Amino acid sequence: MNIYEKHGWAMVPSRNGFGEALRELAERHPELVVIGADLTDSTRASYFSENFPERFFNAGIAEQNAAGMAAGMSLAGKIAVFSTYGVFAAGRAYDQIRTTICYSNANVKIGGAHGGISVGPDGATHQALEEIATMRVLPRMTLFTPADAEETRKATIAAVEEIKGPVYIRFGRAPVPSITDRDTSFEVGRARLVRDGDDLTIIACGSMVAESILAAEILESENIFARVIDLHTVKPIDRETIEKCARETGAILTAEEHQIAGGMGSAVAEVVVATHPVPMDFVGVNDRFGESGEPAELLKAFGLDYRSIAEKAKNLIKRKTV
Amino acid sequence: MKITDTSRLEEIARRVRFDIIKMTYHAGSGHPGGSLSIADILTALYFNALNHDPKNPEWNDRDRVILSKGHACPALYAVLAEAGYFPREELWTLRKFGSRLQGHPAVDKGLPGIEISTGSLGQGLSIAVGTALAGKKLDDANWNVYAILGDGEIEEGQVWEAFMAAGHYHLDNLIAIIDNNDLQIDGFVCDVMNIHPIPDKLKAFNWQVFVVDGHSIPEIIDVVEEAKKVRGTPKAIIAKTVKGKGISYMENVADWHGKAPNRELALKAVAELGFPESALDNDI
């Protein structure tokens, strides 16, 4: 039994929540279509395609065309979900997302699977570590980085039902701790308080939320009380909550399975320096590519596990001025 | 609106050419060459072949037109204004700050008749494939989708992904028109990156291919009608055109891809098109 299971958390890949949401949404929205790019099982778009084959279209291994097709569907009044791995969606089809989807404000939802280093053995080519940076700079884009399968389900539903325009939903491959349940709130653009504390705030997204909870437990045993925030919406970012955390806890550590440069932590820093500057530090991938390995060993090797987060937190609070 | 009289259609195309010159001259920049090469094609579409309603641009049963070669938007703007989508005076705001007539078509500026933003080449056919797929497979729609591409544009790899997808899905409600003027910014298309033979390539991608004189309005109308009737495959119309068509000094000169005429040359163009000199500055 690993530390997550000891905690009572079931291990479920967040991509499952994406698939479940598509299946659920398909019942309510006859105008919903899904466009895949040959990774139907892997992205869990299969939950949709198996039940609604007439509304699923495979573009083949051709992401640029797939992105354009999704936008084209919107000219016929459809809501199109385009799903593939994050490296191919946000990377290969970047200009298509920028010009055809965002500039046109097309009602397209992008399911970015395989976000983060925890993709594991496939290695760097398939580990998306840059798409928070590239997607958040696009005007009109909404960017979700949910923490687990259930939150991914809610984010996907919100993308279709609450937002008319482009949305990117980033989720992962490996099983992650289920830290939310059906009753947990999910409000677009509103960061979720996971655990309270006043010595520092750890703002995390994706699988790093669970790691941050574990880090906070270690810190608590050393009489350091960390607040933990689940920033499931990187854009539009919750300025109010971030400013409040800076003011109330005096230090902010961010944690993401993504390059530090330009990522969620950078987005948080942009708010902190403009509202209430406090010492900050960043847990993330530091300007290097991923590599093959098991998810847990990669998190550790890249300094993304709960112990590394706790260490950085301890060093960070030494820099607090009050 | 369906005009069948050839001389009336040619008269419209002449005005469209004049508008292209006047718009780009007053903008001080823009793309006259590739706009002039599609002036007859767009005239044939919007005044004869298309099902559309300028008073109701979002009419659900309209034919959709995607101008994939977005830089040729002066021609599209001129045709849309002529058809009554928006007031003609607005044409002279092309490329000016605050204008709905952006340097490349921008759907977010709200200009009636613009379906989607284009300008980064190679993307329009994919959009058209998605729209046609929705129309054919989901809505059993009776409208068609038209994508207008440049010949240089098909150097983009994405276009071939889209050709493949359209053939795969048998999108017989999709008509791609390739403006085959043989020129791109750096010179002759066959020198920069040879795309020929286009018909053989498209046939291999399971398209039905037509070739037409892109400056003969009656022939364009006939070939579009013929293409509409073909079932089971997407259709490509390769329109043989002349870049800069109608203006002597612009014809077949790559340099006129992306620059506006100065006053002297604009006046010469106006005269060649049979308009009085004063027309260049009217309503400005």
Side-chain angles (χ1 to χ4, degrees):
Chain A
M1 187 180 270
N2 63 33
I3 186 160
Y4 310 110
E5 286 157 340
K6 277 185 205 150
H7 214 283
W9 289 326
M11 300 296 285
V12 181
S14 52
R15 55 182 164 160
N16 289 18
F18 175 70
E20 283 167 23
L22 293 181
R23 185 168 50 199
E24 195 178 323
L25 286 161
E27 304 272 2
R28 295 200 287 273
H29 300 277
E31 74 280 22
L32 185 76
V33 298
V34 176
I35 294 174
D38 197 39
L39 295 166
T40 313
D41 280 340
S42 194
T43 60
R44 301 298 191 253
S46 53
Y47 295 8
F48 179 96
S49 65
E50 283 162 9
N51 292 287
F52 304 90
E54 71 288 351
R55 284 194 266 156
F56 176 79
F57 300 99
N58 210 324
I61 309 165
E63 296 79 13
Q64 301 175 23
N65 187 48
M69 281 169 62
M73 288 274 178
S74 72
L75 297 187
K78 309 302 172 199
I79 303 173
V81 178
F82 158 46
S83 186
T84 182
Y85 294 171
V87 280
F88 310 134
R92 190 65 162 262
Y94 184 73
D95 186 31
Q96 287 72 18
I97 293 173
R98 176 183 183 270
T99 303
T100 295
I101 296 176
C102 289
Y103 185 40
S104 301
N105 202 22
N107 198 15
V108 171
K109 320 302 168 185
I110 302 160
H114 284 42
I117 193 91
S118 60
V119 166
D122 274 351
T125 53
H126 287 56
Q127 295 160 342
L129 298 176
E130 304 84 13
E131 70 293 29
I132 295 177
T134 56
M135 293 294 102
R136 79 180 183 91
V137 297
L138 293 172
R140 299 188 181 128
M141 181 67 94
T142 294
L143 173 57
F144 292 138
T145 51
D148 63 7
E150 173 57 23
E151 200 165 71
T152 301
R153 189 186 72 85
K154 291 196 183 93
T156 306
I157 290 170
V160 169
E161 297 192 330
E162 294 181 39
I163 298 161
K164 192 170 191 303
V167 181
Y168 188 97
I169 309 150
R170 183 191 203 234
F171 47 88
R173 185 196 75 88
V176 291
S178 297
I179 58 163
T180 72
D181 59 30
R182 290 267 163 161
D183 296 331
T184 310
S185 73
F186 178 88
E187 206 182 324
V188 174
R190 194 53 135 166
R192 191 173 67 84
L193 176 67
V194 178
R195 179 189 167 102
D196 210 357
D198 53 19
D199 289 328
L200 84 156
T201 304
I202 305 173
I203 299 180
C205 66
S207 68
M208 292 295 99
V209 180
E211 297 295 327
S212 298
I213 295 169
L214 295 175
E217 288 171 0
I218 293 180
L219 292 167
E220 187 176 17
S221 70
E222 300 177 30
N223 275 324
I224 297 166
F225 297 93
R227 182 179 296 180
V228 177
I229 297 286
D230 168 10
L231 194 69
H232 52 65
T233 310
V234 171
K235 192 179 174 204
I237 200 160
D238 184 352
R239 299 177 67 88
E240 197 185 323
T241 297
I242 292 168
E243 182 186 355
K244 187 166 179 276
C245 291
R247 200 172 50 241
E248 292 178 354
T249 70
I252 291 183
L253 179 66
T254 59
E256 62 197 304
E257 264 195 75
H258 184 276
Q259 300 290 351
I260 291 171
M264 178 274 284
S266 297
V268 170
E270 287 161 14
V271 176
V272 170
V273 296
T275 56
H276 190 92
V278 294
M280 276 193 74
D281 205 352
F282 308 90
V283 171
V285 178
N286 193 8
D287 199 24
R288 58 187 281 207
F289 286 104
E291 61 180 270
S292 293
E294 288 309 312
E297 71 184 338
L298 287 170
L299 290 183
K300 199 170 168 194
F302 280 74
L304 301 168
D305 62 318
Y306 62 95
R307 287 192 185 90
S308 305
I309 296 171
E311 276 312 302
K312 270 208 168 160
K314 281 190 267 186
N315 287 327
L316 173 62
I317 57 173
K318 288 179 196 155
R319 291 167 46 206
K320 284 177 70 171
T321 49
V322 284
Chain B
M1 96 190 56
K2 200 175 195 72
I3 299 175
T4 50
D5 180 66
T6 300
S7 61
R8 279 188 65 204
L9 290 164
E10 286 172 349
E11 177 58 21
I12 291 170
R14 188 172 73 97
R15 276 203 298 277
V16 166
R17 288 199 159 84
F18 166 76
D19 288 347
I20 291 167
I21 295 299
K22 184 169 172 176
M23 291 163 83
T24 52
Y25 165 67
H26 285 289
S29 65
H31 299 84
S35 298
L36 291 164
S37 66
I38 61 166
D40 300 303
I41 296 165
L42 290 185
T43 300
L45 288 178
Y46 279 86
F47 293 93
N48 184 290
L50 291 185
N51 273 319
H52 69 124
D53 180 1
K55 297 297 163 221
N56 186 10
E58 291 175 34
W59 176 41
N60 194 47
D61 289 336
R62 71 189 183 280
D63 289 331
R64 275 78 169 162
V65 177
I66 314 293
L67 183 66
S68 192
K69 48 171 289 185
H71 57 274
C73 56
L76 179 61
Y77 297 152
V79 167
L80 291 174
E82 181 79 26
Y85 278 87
F86 55 88
R88 198 157 171 277
E89 302 83 71
E90 200 172 343
L91 290 177
W92 324 131
T93 68
L94 173 75
R95 291 176 163 250
K96 300 266 195 320
F97 182 69
S99 175
R100 298 195 291 180
L101 281 68
Q102 292 287 295
H104 294 81
V107 70
D108 64 339
K109 297 296 184 289
L111 190 72
I114 300 298
E115 295 281 0
I116 196 157
S117 303
T118 51
S120 176
L121 291 176
Q123 302 193 24
L125 189 62
S126 299
I127 298 165
V129 166
T131 309
L133 197 54
K136 182 178 169 64
K137 306 277 184 184
L138 299 171
D139 294 344
D140 199 20
N142 56 5
W143 39 262
N144 289 302
V145 184
Y146 295 81
I148 299 164
L149 293 83
D151 50 4
E153 181 181 10
I154 67 175
E155 292 163 3
E156 288 278 7
Q158 182 187 353
V159 175
W160 297 94
E161 296 180 358
F163 280 136
M164 198 185 309
H168 176 81
Y169 284 109
H170 306 284
L171 298 178
D172 52 15
N173 55 346
L174 172 63
I175 297 177
I177 301 176
I178 298 172
D179 175 23
N180 188 191
N181 64 31
D182 285 325
L183 286 171
Q184 59 189 108
I185 296 178
D186 276 1
F188 289 103
V189 173
C190 58
D191 292 335
V192 176
M193 182 48 63
N194 188 16
I195 53 171
H196 296 292
I198 306 173
D200 292 349
K201 287 184 173 120
L202 294 189
K203 283 175 198 161
F205 278 63
N206 298 313
W207 284 59
Q208 172 106 359
V209 181
F210 302 86
V211 180
V212 71
D213 174 353
H215 298 304
S216 165
I217 292 177
E219 286 180 35
I220 297 164
I221 289 171
D222 286 348
V223 81
V224 171
E225 286 311 313
E226 201 184 331
K228 280 183 194 169
K229 289 184 196 131
V230 174
R231 309 318 304 177
T233 67
K235 282 87 59 156
I237 297 171
I238 297 165
K240 295 290 189 185
T241 57
V242 172
K243 195 157 188 159
K245 174 72 177 179
I247 311 299
S248 60
Y249 59 86
M250 287 189 182
E251 288 192 358
N252 287 317
V253 179
D255 200 34
W256 287 103
H257 171 89
K259 75 170 183 188
N262 62 23
R263 185 159 186 87
E264 183 192 343
L265 288 173
L267 287 170
K268 182 171 160 57
V270 167
E272 286 184 15
L273 291 167
F275 286 82
E277 277 196 3
S278 60
L280 186 64
D281 300 314
N282 281 351
D283 300 320
I284 300 297

mmCIF file of all heavy atoms in Angstrom, chain B residues 215-251:
data_model
loop_
_atom_site.group_PDB
_atom_site.id
_atom_site.type_symbol
_atom_site.label_atom_id
_atom_site.label_comp_id
_atom_site.label_asym_id
_atom_site.label_seq_id
_atom_site.Cartn_x
_atom_site.Cartn_y
_atom_site.Cartn_z
ATOM 1 N N HIS B 215 -11.201 33.377 -65.016
ATOM 2 C CA HIS B 215 -11.646 34.724 -65.347
ATOM 3 C C HIS B 215 -12.844 34.722 -66.299
ATOM 4 O O HIS B 215 -13.265 35.769 -66.774
ATOM 5 C CB HIS B 215 -10.489 35.541 -65.925
ATOM 6 C CG HIS B 215 -9.381 35.704 -64.925
ATOM 7 N ND1 HIS B 215 -9.581 36.254 -63.675
ATOM 8 C CD2 HIS B 215 -8.080 35.332 -64.969
ATOM 9 C CE1 HIS B 215 -8.453 36.238 -62.990
ATOM 10 N NE2 HIS B 215 -7.523 35.670 -63.752
ATOM 11 N N SER B 216 -13.377 33.531 -66.569
ATOM 12 C CA SER B 216 -14.592 33.450 -67.375
ATOM 13 C C SER B 216 -15.760 33.176 -66.437
ATOM 14 O O SER B 216 -15.946 32.050 -65.961
ATOM 15 C CB SER B 216 -14.479 32.327 -68.409
ATOM 16 O OG SER B 216 -15.760 32.051 -68.932
ATOM 17 N N ILE B 217 -16.526 34.213 -66.152
ATOM 18 C CA ILE B 217 -17.618 34.060 -65.182
ATOM 19 C C ILE B 217 -18.627 32.981 -65.611
ATOM 20 O O ILE B 217 -18.993 32.133 -64.793
ATOM 21 C CB ILE B 217 -18.287 35.424 -64.884
ATOM 22 C CG1 ILE B 217 -17.269 36.302 -64.121
ATOM 23 C CG2 ILE B 217 -19.566 35.260 -64.078
ATOM 24 C CD1 ILE B 217 -17.750 37.708 -63.824
ATOM 25 N N PRO B 218 -19.053 32.966 -66.890
ATOM 26 C CA PRO B 218 -20.005 31.896 -67.264
ATOM 27 C C PRO B 218 -19.414 30.500 -67.088
ATOM 28 O O PRO B 218 -20.109 29.571 -66.655
ATOM 29 C CB PRO B 218 -20.319 32.169 -68.740
ATOM 30 C CG PRO B 218 -19.663 33.440 -69.109
ATOM 31 C CD PRO B 218 -18.818 33.921 -67.987
ATOM 32 N N GLU B 219 -18.140 30.347 -67.407
ATOM 33 C CA GLU B 219 -17.517 29.026 -67.236
ATOM 34 C C GLU B 219 -17.399 28.639 -65.768
ATOM 35 O O GLU B 219 -17.566 27.474 -65.400
ATOM 36 C CB GLU B 219 -16.133 28.991 -67.912
ATOM 37 C CG GLU B 219 -16.217 28.929 -69.424
ATOM 38 C CD GLU B 219 -14.840 28.896 -70.094
ATOM 39 O OE1 GLU B 219 -13.914 28.283 -69.516
ATOM 40 O OE2 GLU B 219 -14.705 29.485 -71.180
ATOM 41 N N ILE B 220 -17.118 29.635 -64.921
ATOM 42 C CA ILE B 220 -17.029 29.348 -63.475
ATOM 43 C C ILE B 220 -18.405 28.889 -62.979
ATOM 44 O O ILE B 220 -18.524 27.893 -62.257
ATOM 45 C CB ILE B 220 -16.565 30.591 -62.675
ATOM 46 C CG1 ILE B 220 -15.150 31.000 -63.096
ATOM 47 C CG2 ILE B 220 -16.604 30.304 -61.174
ATOM 48 C CD1 ILE B 220 -14.760 32.410 -62.648
ATOM 49 N N ILE B 221 -19.441 29.618 -63.388
ATOM 50 C CA ILE B 221 -20.801 29.259 -62.957
ATOM 51 C C ILE B 221 -21.142 27.839 -63.415
ATOM 52 O O ILE B 221 -21.657 27.024 -62.633
ATOM 53 C CB ILE B 221 -21.826 30.284 -63.508
ATOM 54 C CG1 ILE B 221 -21.651 31.619 -62.763
ATOM 55 C CG2 ILE B 221 -23.256 29.763 -63.357
ATOM 56 C CD1 ILE B 221 -22.447 32.767 -63.351
ATOM 57 N N ASP B 222 -20.811 27.541 -64.666
ATOM 58 C CA ASP B 222 -21.116 26.199 -65.181
ATOM 59 C C ASP B 222 -20.374 25.111 -64.411
ATOM 60 O O ASP B 222 -20.944 24.071 -64.076
ATOM 61 C CB ASP B 222 -20.731 26.104 -66.673
ATOM 62 C CG ASP B 222 -21.719 26.856 -67.559
ATOM 63 O OD1 ASP B 222 -22.792 27.244 -67.043
ATOM 64 O OD2 ASP B 222 -21.402 27.072 -68.745
ATOM 65 N N VAL B 223 -19.104 25.344 -64.124
ATOM 66 C CA VAL B 223 -18.325 24.298 -63.476
ATOM 67 C C VAL B 223 -18.776 24.105 -62.023
ATOM 68 O O VAL B 223 -18.801 22.983 -61.511
ATOM 69 C CB VAL B 223 -16.797 24.581 -63.596
ATOM 70 C CG1 VAL B 223 -16.305 25.572 -62.557
ATOM 71 C CG2 VAL B 223 -16.011 23.273 -63.485
ATOM 72 N N VAL B 224 -19.181 25.192 -61.370
ATOM 73 C CA VAL B 224 -19.682 25.045 -59.997
ATOM 74 C C VAL B 224 -20.989 24.243 -60.005
ATOM 75 O O VAL B 224 -21.188 23.353 -59.173
ATOM 76 C CB VAL B 224 -19.878 26.430 -59.321
ATOM 77 C CG1 VAL B 224 -20.600 26.280 -57.982
ATOM 78 C CG2 VAL B 224 -18.531 27.118 -59.100
ATOM 79 N N GLU B 225 -21.849 24.552 -60.987
ATOM 80 C CA GLU B 225 -23.109 23.798 -61.088
ATOM 81 C C GLU B 225 -22.839 22.312 -61.324
ATOM 82 O O GLU B 225 -23.472 21.441 -60.722
ATOM 83 C CB GLU B 225 -23.993 24.363 -62.205
ATOM 84 C CG GLU B 225 -24.663 25.687 -61.869
ATOM 85 C CD GLU B 225 -25.376 25.686 -60.518
ATOM 86 O OE1 GLU B 225 -26.129 24.733 -60.228
ATOM 87 O OE2 GLU B 225 -25.151 26.643 -59.733
ATOM 88 N N GLU B 226 -21.880 22.052 -62.190
ATOM 89 C CA GLU B 226 -21.516 20.670 -62.489
ATOM 90 C C GLU B 226 -20.947 19.991 -61.237
ATOM 91 O O GLU B 226 -21.295 18.853 -60.911
ATOM 92 C CB GLU B 226 -20.463 20.674 -63.609
ATOM 93 C CG GLU B 226 -20.353 19.375 -64.372
ATOM 94 C CD GLU B 226 -19.223 19.437 -65.402
ATOM 95 O OE1 GLU B 226 -18.918 20.535 -65.906
ATOM 96 O OE2 GLU B 226 -18.632 18.378 -65.664
ATOM 97 N N ALA B 227 -20.094 20.726 -60.533
ATOM 98 C CA ALA B 227 -19.465 20.168 -59.321
ATOM 99 C C ALA B 227 -20.513 19.855 -58.257
ATOM 100 O O ALA B 227 -20.443 18.818 -57.588
ATOM 101 C CB ALA B 227 -18.433 21.149 -58.775
ATOM 102 N N LYS B 228 -21.493 20.734 -58.124
ATOM 103 C CA LYS B 228 -22.531 20.520 -57.110
ATOM 104 C C LYS B 228 -23.234 19.181 -57.316
ATOM 105 O O LYS B 228 -23.661 18.544 -56.364
ATOM 106 C CB LYS B 228 -23.592 21.633 -57.195
ATOM 107 C CG LYS B 228 -23.235 22.947 -56.538
ATOM 108 C CD LYS B 228 -24.463 23.879 -56.675
ATOM 109 C CE LYS B 228 -24.116 25.319 -56.364
ATOM 110 N NZ LYS B 228 -25.224 26.226 -56.742
ATOM 111 N N LYS B 229 -23.353 18.778 -58.590
ATOM 112 C CA LYS B 229 -24.125 17.557 -58.895
ATOM 113 C C LYS B 229 -23.378 16.271 -58.570
ATOM 114 O O LYS B 229 -23.997 15.216 -58.412
ATOM 115 C CB LYS B 229 -24.500 17.554 -60.383
ATOM 116 C CG LYS B 229 -25.543 18.594 -60.732
ATOM 117 C CD LYS B 229 -25.939 18.482 -62.207
ATOM 118 C CE LYS B 229 -26.665 19.742 -62.669
ATOM 119 N NZ LYS B 229 -26.132 20.268 -63.920
ATOM 120 N N VAL B 230 -22.062 16.363 -58.484
ATOM 121 C CA VAL B 230 -21.271 15.147 -58.239
ATOM 122 C C VAL B 230 -21.477 14.665 -56.808
ATOM 123 O O VAL B 230 -21.330 15.430 -55.859
ATOM 124 C CB VAL B 230 -19.768 15.414 -58.493
ATOM 125 C CG1 VAL B 230 -18.947 14.196 -58.099
ATOM 126 C CG2 VAL B 230 -19.541 15.800 -59.940
ATOM 127 N N ARG B 231 -21.852 13.411 -56.642
ATOM 128 C CA ARG B 231 -22.067 12.868 -55.303
ATOM 129 C C ARG B 231 -20.940 11.894 -54.955
ATOM 130 O O ARG B 231 -20.324 11.300 -55.839
ATOM 131 C CB ARG B 231 -23.402 12.109 -55.200
ATOM 132 C CG ARG B 231 -24.656 12.822 -55.682
ATOM 133 C CD ARG B 231 -24.783 14.288 -55.292
ATOM 134 N NE ARG B 231 -24.698 14.562 -53.862
ATOM 135 C CZ ARG B 231 -24.738 15.792 -53.342
ATOM 136 N NH1 ARG B 231 -24.814 16.853 -54.117
ATOM 137 N NH2 ARG B 231 -24.693 15.966 -52.050
ATOM 138 N N GLY B 232 -20.692 11.772 -53.683
ATOM 139 C CA GLY B 232 -19.782 10.732 -53.207
ATOM 140 C C GLY B 232 -18.336 11.140 -53.011
ATOM 141 O O GLY B 232 -17.593 10.422 -52.340
ATOM 142 N N THR B 233 -17.943 12.288 -53.580
ATOM 143 C CA THR B 233 -16.564 12.748 -53.369
ATOM 144 C C THR B 233 -16.551 14.264 -53.187
ATOM 145 O O THR B 233 -17.447 14.960 -53.683
ATOM 146 C CB THR B 233 -15.644 12.456 -54.588
ATOM 147 O OG1 THR B 233 -16.087 13.267 -55.682
ATOM 148 C CG2 THR B 233 -15.677 11.004 -55.003
ATOM 149 N N PRO B 234 -15.524 14.757 -52.519
ATOM 150 C CA PRO B 234 -15.337 16.214 -52.515
ATOM 151 C C PRO B 234 -14.886 16.674 -53.891
ATOM 152 O O PRO B 234 -14.371 15.876 -54.672
ATOM 153 C CB PRO B 234 -14.235 16.428 -51.472
ATOM 154 C CG PRO B 234 -13.517 15.130 -51.384
ATOM 155 C CD PRO B 234 -14.497 14.049 -51.755
ATOM 156 N N LYS B 235 -15.115 17.947 -54.174
ATOM 157 C CA LYS B 235 -14.812 18.474 -55.493
ATOM 158 C C LYS B 235 -13.803 19.608 -55.405
ATOM 159 O O LYS B 235 -13.911 20.475 -54.537
ATOM 160 C CB LYS B 235 -16.092 18.995 -56.171
ATOM 161 C CG LYS B 235 -16.957 17.891 -56.728
ATOM 162 C CD LYS B 235 -17.942 17.301 -55.735
ATOM 163 C CE LYS B 235 -18.908 18.289 -55.173
ATOM 164 N NZ LYS B 235 -20.166 17.720 -54.688
ATOM 165 N N ALA B 236 -12.839 19.598 -56.315
ATOM 166 C CA ALA B 236 -11.878 20.695 -56.393
ATOM 167 C C ALA B 236 -12.004 21.351 -57.757
ATOM 168 O O ALA B 236 -12.082 20.663 -58.775
ATOM 169 C CB ALA B 236 -10.462 20.184 -56.189
ATOM 170 N N ILE B 237 -12.043 22.662 -57.745
ATOM 171 C CA ILE B 237 -12.040 23.411 -59.001
ATOM 172 C C ILE B 237 -10.710 24.165 -59.064
ATOM 173 O O ILE B 237 -10.432 25.017 -58.218
ATOM 174 C CB ILE B 237 -13.224 24.397 -59.069
ATOM 175 C CG1 ILE B 237 -14.553 23.630 -59.044
ATOM 176 C CG2 ILE B 237 -13.112 25.273 -60.316
ATOM 177 C CD1 ILE B 237 -15.782 24.506 -58.880
ATOM 178 N N ILE B 238 -9.903 23.795 -60.036
ATOM 179 C CA ILE B 238 -8.636 24.496 -60.206
ATOM 180 C C ILE B 238 -8.887 25.628 -61.182
ATOM 181 O O ILE B 238 -9.161 25.399 -62.368
ATOM 182 C CB ILE B 238 -7.544 23.536 -60.698
ATOM 183 C CG1 ILE B 238 -7.328 22.461 -59.620
ATOM 184 C CG2 ILE B 238 -6.245 24.290 -60.976
ATOM 185 C CD1 ILE B 238 -6.561 21.275 -60.096
ATOM 186 N N ALA B 239 -8.859 26.834 -60.657
ATOM 187 C CA ALA B 239 -9.169 28.005 -61.471
ATOM 188 C C ALA B 239 -7.865 28.590 -61.997
ATOM 189 O O ALA B 239 -7.025 29.054 -61.228
ATOM 190 C CB ALA B 239 -9.936 29.025 -60.641
ATOM 191 N N LYS B 240 -7.709 28.529 -63.293
ATOM 192 C CA LYS B 240 -6.510 29.102 -63.918
ATOM 193 C C LYS B 240 -6.679 30.614 -63.934
ATOM 194 O O LYS B 240 -7.603 31.134 -64.594
ATOM 195 C CB LYS B 240 -6.361 28.578 -65.353
ATOM 196 C CG LYS B 240 -6.108 27.081 -65.419
ATOM 197 C CD LYS B 240 -4.716 26.780 -64.892
ATOM 198 C CE LYS B 240 -4.313 25.341 -65.122
ATOM 199 N NZ LYS B 240 -3.002 25.065 -64.477
ATOM 200 N N THR B 241 -5.830 31.296 -63.206
ATOM 201 C CA THR B 241 -6.004 32.744 -63.064
ATOM 202 C C THR B 241 -4.697 33.481 -63.326
ATOM 203 O O THR B 241 -3.633 32.882 -63.457
ATOM 204 C CB THR B 241 -6.476 33.096 -61.637
ATOM 205 O OG1 THR B 241 -5.530 32.572 -60.705
ATOM 206 C CG2 THR B 241 -7.847 32.524 -61.345
ATOM 207 N N VAL B 242 -4.827 34.783 -63.381
ATOM 208 C CA VAL B 242 -3.677 35.669 -63.558
ATOM 209 C C VAL B 242 -3.608 36.563 -62.329
ATOM 210 O O VAL B 242 -4.581 37.258 -62.006
ATOM 211 C CB VAL B 242 -3.856 36.533 -64.826
ATOM 212 C CG1 VAL B 242 -2.765 37.592 -64.918
ATOM 213 C CG2 VAL B 242 -3.873 35.647 -66.061
ATOM 214 N N LYS B 243 -2.479 36.505 -61.637
ATOM 215 C CA LYS B 243 -2.330 37.388 -60.481
ATOM 216 C C LYS B 243 -2.336 38.837 -60.965
ATOM 217 O O LYS B 243 -1.668 39.173 -61.937
ATOM 218 C CB LYS B 243 -1.023 37.059 -59.761
ATOM 219 C CG LYS B 243 -0.944 37.646 -58.366
ATOM 220 C CD LYS B 243 0.037 36.879 -57.504
ATOM 221 C CE LYS B 243 -0.049 37.350 -56.053
ATOM 222 N NZ LYS B 243 0.488 36.363 -55.131
ATOM 223 N N GLY B 244 -3.130 39.672 -60.287
ATOM 224 C CA GLY B 244 -3.207 41.073 -60.701
ATOM 225 C C GLY B 244 -4.119 41.315 -61.893
ATOM 226 O O GLY B 244 -4.101 42.402 -62.495
ATOM 227 N N LYS B 245 -4.941 40.323 -62.223
ATOM 228 C CA LYS B 245 -5.777 40.359 -63.438
ATOM 229 C C LYS B 245 -6.568 41.663 -63.574
ATOM 230 O O LYS B 245 -7.274 42.089 -62.651
ATOM 231 C CB LYS B 245 -6.755 39.179 -63.407
ATOM 232 C CG LYS B 245 -7.781 39.157 -64.521
ATOM 233 C CD LYS B 245 -7.153 38.797 -65.855
ATOM 234 C CE LYS B 245 -8.222 38.706 -66.939
ATOM 235 N NZ LYS B 245 -7.620 38.371 -68.256
ATOM 236 N N GLY B 246 -6.442 42.278 -64.756
ATOM 237 C CA GLY B 246 -7.231 43.465 -65.068
ATOM 238 C C GLY B 246 -6.449 44.757 -64.986
ATOM 239 O O GLY B 246 -6.893 45.782 -65.486
ATOM 240 N N ILE B 247 -5.288 44.705 -64.323
ATOM 241 C CA ILE B 247 -4.454 45.902 -64.220
ATOM 242 C C ILE B 247 -3.137 45.572 -64.920
ATOM 243 O O ILE B 247 -2.382 44.710 -64.451
ATOM 244 C CB ILE B 247 -4.186 46.269 -62.731
ATOM 245 C CG1 ILE B 247 -5.490 46.283 -61.918
ATOM 246 C CG2 ILE B 247 -3.436 47.600 -62.645
ATOM 247 C CD1 ILE B 247 -6.535 47.267 -62.375
ATOM 248 N N SER B 248 -2.874 46.260 -66.019
ATOM 249 C CA SER B 248 -1.777 45.848 -66.917
ATOM 250 C C SER B 248 -0.453 45.657 -66.189
ATOM 251 O O SER B 248 0.228 44.646 -66.374
ATOM 252 C CB SER B 248 -1.614 46.885 -68.032
ATOM 253 O OG SER B 248 -1.320 48.149 -67.458
ATOM 254 N N TYR B 249 -0.113 46.610 -65.345
ATOM 255 C CA TYR B 249 1.218 46.549 -64.743
ATOM 256 C C TYR B 249 1.307 45.561 -63.570
ATOM 257 O O TYR B 249 2.383 45.272 -63.087
ATOM 258 C CB TYR B 249 1.684 47.943 -64.298
ATOM 259 C CG TYR B 249 0.774 48.610 -63.280
ATOM 260 C CD1 TYR B 249 0.902 48.380 -61.928
ATOM 261 C CD2 TYR B 249 -0.241 49.482 -63.705
ATOM 262 C CE1 TYR B 249 0.066 48.988 -61.000
ATOM 263 C CE2 TYR B 249 -1.084 50.094 -62.795
ATOM 264 C CZ TYR B 249 -0.926 49.840 -61.437
ATOM 265 O OH TYR B 249 -1.759 50.424 -60.533
ATOM 266 N N MET B 250 0.144 45.076 -63.121
ATOM 267 C CA MET B 250 0.166 44.116 -62.007
ATOM 268 C C MET B 250 0.131 42.665 -62.488
ATOM 269 O O MET B 250 0.534 41.764 -61.742
ATOM 270 C CB MET B 250 -1.041 44.324 -61.088
ATOM 271 C CG MET B 250 -0.978 45.565 -60.210
ATOM 272 S SD MET B 250 -2.332 45.552 -59.009
ATOM 273 C CE MET B 250 -2.046 47.118 -58.188
ATOM 274 N N GLU B 251 -0.351 42.447 -63.698
ATOM 275 C CA GLU B 251 -0.580 41.072 -64.155
ATOM 276 C C GLU B 251 0.714 40.268 -64.184
ATOM 277 O O GLU B 251 1.726 40.711 -64.734
ATOM 278 C CB GLU B 251 -1.250 41.078 -65.543
ATOM 279 C CG GLU B 251 -2.705 41.521 -65.467
ATOM 280 C CD GLU B 251 -3.493 41.281 -66.757
ATOM 281 O OE1 GLU B 251 -2.896 40.806 -67.733
ATOM 282 O OE2 GLU B 251 -4.713 41.571 -66.753
#
